[in-house]
Amino acid sequence: MVRDEAYPKLARQPLTLVLAEFRFGRVAFEPAALAALKERMAPRFADMREGVAQQVQLGDAGVTITQAPYVVWRAPEAGAAVHLEVDRIAYATTMYPRFEGFAKDCLEVVRALLETLRPPSLHRVGLRYNDAVVPMPDELLEHYVEAPLLAFSPLADEAGAVVRHLSETVVQTTAGALVVRALAGVHGLGMMPDLQGQFGLPLQIDVPTDRPVAVLDFDHYWEVAEAEGVAFDVDAAGDRLARLHEPAREAFWKVTTEFARTQRWN
C-alpha cells in the first residue's frame, strides 16, 4: 500500500457513515453484567433503547424463529451509535475524524464490552465506509466516479433515467476480503439500503431525489474459519481493525476521479 501521505484528508469528504463491527462467541445478557455495561456507556451515550428482534433460520428441520435481544446506544449530536446483540457489536459514526480517532472511540466501546459481558472469542472484524457522491446540477456522475461502476450508458440514454444500478467487486487482500459496491441512479439514498435508518443518525450530506447520485460502499472484513474463533482482547481487535483501514481507503482513491477529489471535495 502507498504511504498515508498519498491520501490527504479531504476538506469536504463525501462520507455519510463509517461502521466497525466485531462478531464474537455468543454471550448471555446476564442482568448484572449488562447493567455494568450500560453504566460504562451512559456518560457518552445519553440515548439508550432495548428491544427484541426475530431471527429466521433455515435448516434441516425447516424454519426456526428465535428471539434476539439487542441494545442500541445513540449520541446524535456527536453522530455516533452502538448496536449490541448477543454475538456482535457495531460502532457507527456520521462524523468521521481521521482513522486514529475513530479507532480510539471504537475500541473504548470494545473494552467496555470485554470487561463486562466478557465474550469468549473473536470471529470477525469488519470496517465499512459509505460515501454519497452528489454531482453539481450541471455535472455527471462520470465526472466523479470511474465509469466501470456506473450504468451502461447506451441503456440509460434509450430508457431514460436509471433508477438503480448496483455494481459489486470482491477483492482478496492481505487483511481479508474487500467488497466494493456502487449504487448509482435517481434513488435519493445517502448510504446503502441495508444501513439506511439502522442507527438513527442524521446525515451530514443533503442527497437530492431528482437527479443521479451514487453511494459508494467499501466493506473490508476479516473472519476466522475455525468455529472456536481466536482470543478476543482489545489489542487483537485493534490490530485487525487497523489492517482493514488502508486497503479500503486506497480503494476510494482508485474508483473516484481526480476532478472530484481535488476540485469538489478539497
Side-chain angles (χ1 to χ4, degrees), residues 92-175:
T93 183
T94 56
M95 298 181 183
Y96 181 77
R98 298 292 283 196
F99 174 74
E100 291 74 16
F102 171 80
K104 179 178 179 293
D105 292 342
C106 174
L107 293 175
E108 285 179 2
V109 171
V110 170
R111 181 176 287 105
L113 169 76
L114 287 167
E115 293 176 357
T116 53
L117 295 185
R118 303 186 184 282
S121 53
L122 179 64
H123 296 256
R124 189 181 193 272
V125 179
L127 179 62
R128 191 171 176 185
Y129 291 88
N130 270 206
D131 300 270
V133 179
V134 182
M136 300 291 284
D138 59 341
E139 295 172 344
L140 302 174
L141 276 174
E142 288 86 342
H143 297 151
Y144 290 72
V145 180
E146 295 296 343
L149 275 68
L150 303 176
F152 181 52
S153 296
L155 181 63
D157 291 341
E158 295 189 19
V162 173
V163 177
R164 292 197 185 195
H165 170 78
L166 177 65
S167 67
E168 179 178 280
T169 303
V170 181
V171 180
Q172 194 68 41
T173 72
T174 57

